[in-house]
Amino acid sequence: MDLLVRAESISPPADKWHLISICSPDPDSVPESLIREDTIPILEEKGCEKHLSLCFSDVTADQYPRFKKRYPEIILFSEEQAKEAFKFLSMTHESNEEVVFVVHCDAGISRSGAVAQFAADFFRINFKDGLIRPNATVYNTLSKVSGLRERRESDLHAAFYKEAEKGEIIITGNKDEEIC
């Protein structure tokens, strides 16, 4: 389907929304980024205020060396792309605007699913969708550059020790020695 037709067929999810469009570097891939010079006016007319286009393959870090030999055009999601995506997501969060984010990729399962799951986890939004299978490299790279991984560990430690202080958890060094 032509991108102009695709852009025109979008049903706006809200009065104002932001778009992260993930395209594939694979020349045989049908969908490319929805964000192009000729589609931006259509997206803006439909309420899209801000947009980001990223291009990377649906491959994990473990798969990358094996696939790179066979498909030299593949691109692994990078820390630079993660920083760009995180900056895009956090810019709205910091402004306290009520905005809907739309994230799309070829199938809407792995790459966009990872970005959506990360955004929900980082901003502490309840989001569970049984249809997505987040790409681990995308999710983990976003978590690393954003500090989400450290915050989660800190939250887990704080919750654990809070329960321990109440006396509901007993931590021992060995079976004979009680620590708290």
Side-chain angles (χ1 to χ4, degrees), residues 25-174:
D26 178 4
D28 296 329
S29 178
V30 177
E32 55 185 302
S33 176
L34 274 177
I35 304 167
R36 290 190 331 201
E37 201 172 299
D38 58 341
T39 60
I40 290 174
I42 297 167
L43 295 171
E44 289 174 345
E45 183 180 300
K46 294 183 172 281
C48 180
E49 293 187 327
K50 296 178 182 152
H51 41 78
L52 173 66
S53 183
L54 298 170
C55 188
F56 59 93
S57 303
D58 190 6
V59 62
T60 64
D62 293 341
Q63 298 166 330
Y64 182 74
R66 190 173 65 245
F67 287 139
K68 186 69 175 173
K69 290 176 185 169
R70 189 167 177 195
Y71 307 102
E73 71 278 355
I74 68 170
I75 298 172
L76 185 65
F77 185 69
S78 68
E79 283 194 17
E80 292 77 30
Q81 289 171 314
K83 288 174 184 174
E84 192 176 358
F86 178 65
K87 181 180 176 184
F88 183 80
L89 291 165
S90 60
M91 142 184 72
T92 300
H93 184 68
E94 290 168 3
S95 70
N96 291 323
E97 293 178 69
E98 287 277 329
V99 174
V100 172
F101 279 97
V102 175
V103 186
H104 91 91
C105 64
D106 292 351
I109 296 171
S110 182
R111 293 174 297 166
S112 60
V115 173
Q117 187 65 62
F118 162 77
D121 291 349
F122 190 82
F123 300 121
R124 298 178 184 195
I125 299 167
N126 188 15
F127 171 76
K128 296 294 175 217
D129 184 334
L131 299 177
I132 67 166
R133 301 286 182 260
N135 178 303
T137 297
V138 174
Y139 185 88
N140 291 336
T141 306
L142 283 163
S143 295
K144 179 182 174 185
V145 303
S146 68
L148 176 62
R149 184 178 299 151
E150 290 79 16
R151 186 178 83 192
R152 272 193 166 156
E153 288 172 5
S154 176
D155 288 352
L156 286 172
H157 289 141
F160 180 80
Y161 286 107
K162 184 177 180 181
E163 294 300 312
E165 286 173 6
K166 289 191 229 174
E168 296 177 18
I169 296 175
I170 297 174
I171 306 169
T172 62
N174 64 45

